[in-house]
Amino acid sequence: MPELKQNRFTRGRVAALMTEATGWALLLLGVALAVRHLLGTVTLPGLLAPAAAIAGGLFAILAAHVARAVFDNAQDTRAMRLAQRSAPSAAVKTSGLRAEPSLRRPSAP
């Protein structure tokens, strides 16, 4: 079985880390602006900038987590594909049920 490289999608993971760090910075900036504004006079237009910064930060954190989940799923799918490629048979027999489908391509006739 080919050796599975554990650190895949390095550039994507670095980009996700930078996106998450930016999101946390935006979130903290938005909270600081909101606290500063709440200590003074409270107006709705004055709270829009902190609310937008908080929402943008939360969205960036969410996007980073989604990116990491996609990378993890791709890595796990690749590992399953490599494991199946090294399996002796094309289909796995189950007791009393249909054979599980295979990802192998049919051979040319």
Side-chain angles (χ1 to χ4, degrees):
M1 181 167 137
E3 187 61 33
L4 186 63
K5 189 176 175 184
Q6 291 301 321
N7 294 329
R8 306 263 314 160
F9 309 105
T10 306
R11 283 180 242 140
R13 289 184 189 277
V14 168
L17 179 67
M18 290 171 46
T19 303
E20 185 177 13
T22 304
W24 281 110
L26 270 173
L27 182 70
L28 292 175
L29 176 68
V31 168
L33 286 174
V35 168
R36 185 178 139 238
H37 186 71
L38 289 175
L39 292 176
T41 59
V42 177
T43 60
L44 183 61
L47 286 176
L48 288 178
I54 290 171
L58 289 173
F59 182 76
I61 293 168
L62 173 68
H65 283 276
V66 168
R68 272 197 217 105
V70 168
F71 299 143
D72 289 342
N73 281 338
Q75 179 69 20
D76 293 344
T77 302
R78 182 173 184 269
M80 287 188 298
R81 178 71 171 110
L82 289 175
Q84 186 180 30
R85 187 179 294 168
S86 66
S89 66
V92 176
K93 299 287 183 184
T94 57
S95 59
L97 299 175
R98 298 186 293 155
E100 294 291 327
S102 171
L103 294 177
R104 291 186 183 203
R105 291 187 175 129
S107 59

